[in-house]
Each structure stands twice: as structure tokens, then as C-alpha cells.
Amino acid sequence: MDKTYKTGFVTLIARPNIGKSTLLNQIAGQKIAITSPVAQTTRHQIRCIYTDDTAQIIFIDTPGVHRPLNKLGEFLSEESRTSLDDSDVVIFLADASEEPGAGDRWIVENYLKNTKLPVIIALNKIDKANKRNLENYLICYKQLFEKNYPVVKISAKTGKNVKALLDKVKEYLPFGEKLYPDDEITDQNLRSITSEVIREKIILNTKDEIPHSVAVIVEDYKHTDDIDKIKAQIIVSAESQKGIIIGKGGSMLKKIGTEARKEIEEIAQNKVFLEIFVKVKKGWQKDENTLKLLGYEKKAD
């Protein structure tokens, strides 16, 4: 074993809409996780692989953690809990512009209070924080944990102090060989990335009209040297939501498809032909068979 090189897994955990996906994209140097102003955008663990001359860090972006309200919520909560079991380090990401809230306390009580893993508190959005308030909030977060965990103040959006966060993570990683090639930045495949990109465009374009009642299945993905042909299905839970996504004369669906296609072309580095259909499946978030089809199921022990 190489006693100079370090390798390990790091779980990012936070309440919804704190900036975990933005941080991963900043670390990767390109987009690998979808972001939006809507809370709880992330639904699957997404690995970001950071590699340099001294360490390889595999980051796991968990769904924004909150008290589960349905089967989908239970799956998302379990995803976050499972990732902790496989980690070497935990980064608790918090909003530097706000004092700890009920969501932060719920995470500490239910996920982190009894963990034996090293925990790093990353206070995000320092570009928005008042300096005097920031110092007070910092004290509050340390009191919340009742332990003297290290704190790094960052801005995932601008990249400020992200390198300092990486350096702090390295201090806690075990020695080991690389698990991924140097040029690999995520273990996501194009099919799963496509699904997430389409879902992001839906969220960004429909805002509060289509909250988390939408899922995307990529039914077919055929790659050739000249073009990637993709067939995707958007699943919603009500006819009214279908109408919103399609829009007048199909205008909204066309906009979603065009924006998604352009971004997928950048990621795939190839021309893309994208077909999107919309299907209503009432109460899909509570239906175990549908959740399993969409990949939202607990992993076997």
C-alpha cells in the first residue's frame, strides 16, 4: 500500500437547498449534478471523483435530508443514511447566512449525533453572509454538535475556500490506491445524467407549479459516432401537471426538450436527437413498484 497517497469516500449531508450539488460541480470543474432554487433537487447519490497528486476523494451527494413524508421520502432518507455507512469522512454543509434551524437540528439528532466518523462543518454561501452574523452562527453550529469539529467557510458558487475544504478532508482520509482513473470525474453514465438534466429543465421552467411530482425515465439511449438518439418519458402525478409541462401548443415541452438537448450535447460531445413524452401516473411517489422502476429502492444488505 502506498503510504503517501490517500483515497477515501466523503458524504455530503445537509438539509435541502443548501448547495451540495453546486459544490460538487465546483469540485468537478463541470456540471455533474443538477441544481435549482427548488429544495430537494437531488434524488440519487451522485459520486464526484476528485483526483490530484496527493489524494483521490470520492464525494457522495446525498438527497437533501428532511423528515420523510411518503415512500419516495423514505427512499431519499435511506440513501443518505446508507452513504454514511460507506464513508470515511462526513461534510455537514450549512448556510452561513442563517442560524441553525429545525432542519439542521433534525439531521444532527438523526444522522450525526452518534457517528464515529470525522465530521467537517462547511459553512456555505459566505458570499451572502454578514460578517458579524457569520461569527455568531459559527458558534451556534458548534454548540449544535456539542463537539469541536473543524469548520471551513466556503462559497460553492464562487469557489472561494473550496481548496481549503479539500485540504481539510485529506487530513482524515486513509492511505490507499486510486479507485478510479485520473480523468474520471463521476461514476454516472449518460443515461442517468440525461434523466437528471431533463428533470432539472422541468424544475427550472415550471418552478413551483411542478414541485417534486415529476420523474424522468430514459427508455432508450442509442449512441453512434454521428448522433445520440434518446427517448425519454416524463412521469407526473396529475393531468393538470401534464398540461403545464406540455404547455400551450406544446411550447413548454419544446422549451424543456431544447434546453435539455443542448446541455446533453455538451456533456456527450455529440449531436443529440431527443424525444420526450409525458405520462400521468397518479400517486407514483407512494407506489413501490413505480419507485422500483425509477430506481428509487432500498439496496440489499
Side-chain angles (χ1 to χ4, degrees), residues 121-173:
I121 302 171
L123 291 183
N124 189 28
K125 305 182 183 181
I126 58 170
D127 49 310
K128 295 183 178 181
N130 175 280
K131 189 173 182 180
R132 180 180 296 177
N133 289 342
L134 176 58
E135 294 307 313
N136 291 332
Y137 297 159
L138 174 56
I139 294 171
C140 291
Y141 277 106
K142 286 190 174 183
Q143 291 174 341
L144 179 65
F145 279 94
E146 299 179 351
K147 293 182 180 179
N148 192 29
Y149 287 133
V151 176
V152 183
K153 306 167 193 174
I154 69 167
S155 171
K157 184 177 180 180
T158 67
K160 185 174 183 179
N161 294 340
V162 170
K163 185 181 183 302
L165 178 61
L166 294 172
D167 289 340
K168 179 58 67 174
V169 167
K170 290 177 186 179
E171 293 180 17
Y172 298 98
L173 293 181

Side-chain angles (χ1 to χ4, degrees), residues 42 49 60 68-70 95 107 138-139 152 159 186 192 218 282:
T42 302
I49 305 159
I60 302 171
L69 301 176
N70 52 36
D95 190 335
I107 291 172
L138 174 56
I139 294 171
V152 183
T186 182
S192 59
V218 175
K282 295 181 180 180

Side-chain angles (χ1 to χ4, degrees), residues 47 184 221 248 282 298:
R47 283 191 172 92
E184 196 163 331
Y221 194 121
K248 187 176 181 179
K282 295 181 180 180
K298 295 181 180 180

Side-chain angles (χ1 to χ4, degrees), residues 39-55:
Q40 203 179 315
T41 300
T42 302
R43 281 192 181 158
H44 286 287
Q45 296 178 359
I46 298 174
R47 283 191 172 92
C48 166
I49 305 159
Y50 172 84
T51 305
D52 65 14
D53 293 337
T54 61

